[in-house]
Structures are given as C-alpha cells and as structure tokens.
Amino acid sequence: GAGVSQSPSNKVTEKGKDVELRCDPISGHTALYWYRQRLGQGLEFLIYFQGNSAPDKSGLPSDRFSAERTGESVSTLTIQRTQQEDSAVYLCASSLSLGWNSPLHFGNGTRLTVT
Amino acid sequence: DQQVKQNSPSLSVQEGRISILNCDYTNSMFDYFLWYKKYPAEGPTFLISISSIKDKNEDGRFTVFLNKSAKHLSLHIVPSQPGDSAVYFCAPLKGAQKLVFGQGTRLTINP
C-alpha cells in the first residue's frame, strides 16, 4: 500500500523566490501534519489539518508560510520570499485521526535549500 | 515554551548492551507518550507508546518506563543491535491535540 508521498524530494531555490511543497497523504487519513527539521534540530510543528475543522496554524513561523488542504487529500505548503533560515527538511505526516491510537505516518520529506 | 526535553543529543552504546534514552516533560496533563525512530533521509516511524495510567509498556526488545511524579520517561532497548542506530524522538500527547516532539537523541550502536 502507498505511504505518504512528498514532492519534490529536493528543492534548491534562490533567496526571495517562492516555493511550493506537496504532500499526498495515505488515503482515508483525516489528519495531516507539516513539520520541519532544521540541521541539527528536532522536529518543529508547523500546521495540522483535521477533517473539515479549521487548521491549527500555531506553528507557522511567519506570514510567509501558508498551507492548504483540499478535503482529505493533497496538501501544499507554500513559502513566499524564501530566506536562508527556511532551509530545512519539511516533513508531512498523516493519521487516521487525532489521538494516541492513530500514530503518524511520515513521508520522507522535502529537503529545501535556500541559497 | 518547550514542553518536552531530551537532554542528551547523542548516545553511544556497545552492541548487545542496554540503551537508555530519556525524556522529561512539563505538562502533567499529557495522557499518552509516544516514541518515534528516524533513520537518515527517511521520515520518523512510530515505535512504542505508553498510557499515563501505566508505568511500563514492553514490546520485544523495547520497554518504556513512565515516572509521572518526576515527569520523566525512558526508552530501554535491550539487547541493542546495529540496526537500532537512529534518532529517537519522544512525543507526549494530550487528548486529540497535535503531537509535539522532543529534540531527539541520536543513538549509535557500536559493534
């Protein structure tokens, strides 16, 4: 069965450009998360979507970051006017629902490098 | 406001010995605690969890111990194997809220 798929796997962009990262969750998973991991750092929560509820955007570091999800399918994370500190691995995860009995299934991430 | 801390960024253990990874948290309302394991260039994968009403959960070579009074949990791996070399993240959970991860501990198992 297909897992969580993220594209592209690697992205190099120039400072100031916009980038869009894509996540295809596991079919039927209502919850979708975005995290990022900077070099040498832990997993930093960015945003999550749960069904039709309003997304929890509390982890987005600035208004240059935004994310959308169409129903219970694909999500895109957009970073506008990228900065060098945005360089990180961006990880998407999905789960059947929220809670302890719905472990997150992660994709392999998109490695973003801002030059 | 970091609710979970893994104070050891790295740990090196000899193959066959016990690996002990520690995690401290601040919110006494957490009701589940999860451990995830991450290999390079891959996303984290779920490893084991424990409910706050228990003090121990065992799954094969992996055991989680929870000390609620100390707000501390630990993951024991015994015997440690080379394939256990990875970064381990502790993630406490409250109800159906978002999962927040610790900083991770890089475990290296030496042959």
Side-chain angles (χ1 to χ4, degrees):
Chain A
V4 176
S5 177
Q6 292 187 245
S7 60
S9 55
N10 282 284
K11 176 70 177 179
V12 180
T13 189
E14 291 179 353
K15 178 182 171 181
K17 295 286 181 67
D18 298 352
V19 294
E20 193 172 276
L21 312 180
R22 176 186 171 106
C23 173
D24 286 87
I26 293 173
S27 178
H29 281 195
T30 63
L32 185 148
Y33 292 72
W34 284 97
Y35 291 87
R36 75 175 175 183
Q37 186 175 25
R38 294 175 175 174
L39 189 64
Q41 303 293 313
L43 293 174
E44 178 186 3
F45 167 78
L46 297 178
I47 185 171
Y48 85 84
F49 300 86
Q50 169 57 32
N52 294 320
S53 302
D56 180 338
K57 305 179 180 180
S58 60
L60 294 179
S62 77
D63 58 8
R64 297 186 294 105
F65 288 72
S66 63
E68 294 183 348
R69 186 181 188 192
T70 306
E72 293 185 354
S73 60
V74 172
S75 176
T76 55
L77 176 68
T78 301
I79 309 173
Q80 296 179 310
R81 305 180 302 282
T82 52
Q83 303 295 313
Q84 288 185 332
E85 63 263 26
D86 299 335
S87 296
V89 176
Y90 288 81
L91 290 158
C92 175
S94 70
S95 64
L96 277 172
S97 64
L98 296 179
W100 69 273
N101 59 348
S102 292
L104 301 186
H105 297 260
F106 281 85
N108 287 335
T110 293
R111 180 175 298 277
L112 175 66
T113 304
V114 181
T115 60
Chain B
D1 179 20
Q2 198 169 357
Q3 298 191 67
V4 55
K5 288 185 179 179
Q6 293 177 255
N7 291 318
S8 298
S10 63
L11 176 67
S12 186
V13 174
Q14 191 170 0
E15 182 179 0
R17 306 294 290 267
I18 184 171
S19 296
I20 300 176
L21 298 103
N22 295 303
C23 178
D24 295 294
Y25 61 95
T26 57
N27 188 344
S28 60
M29 300 303 290
F30 288 131
D31 49 18
Y32 273 92
F33 302 86
L34 294 80
W35 284 92
Y36 281 75
K37 175 179 177 179
K38 185 181 185 302
Y39 292 118
E42 295 183 10
T45 55
F46 170 72
L47 184 60
I48 191 170
S49 65
I50 188 168
S51 162
S52 62
I53 63 172
K54 295 187 175 181
D55 55 18
K56 177 182 176 182
N57 186 29
E58 188 173 354
D59 183 2
R61 296 185 298 112
F62 302 90
T63 303
V64 185
F65 294 93
L66 176 63
N67 183 334
K68 288 189 68 177
S69 60
K71 295 190 179 67
H72 176 85
L73 68 155
S74 61
L75 173 67
H76 293 213
I77 307 172
V78 57
S80 300
Q81 299 175 355
D84 298 330
S85 294
V87 178
Y88 290 80
F89 293 96
C90 136
L93 185 63
K94 175 174 176 292
Q97 296 188 359
K98 61 180 179 284
L99 203 56
V100 177
F101 290 84
Q103 295 297 96
T105 296
R106 180 178 301 279
L107 175 64
T108 302
I109 305 302
N110 302 308

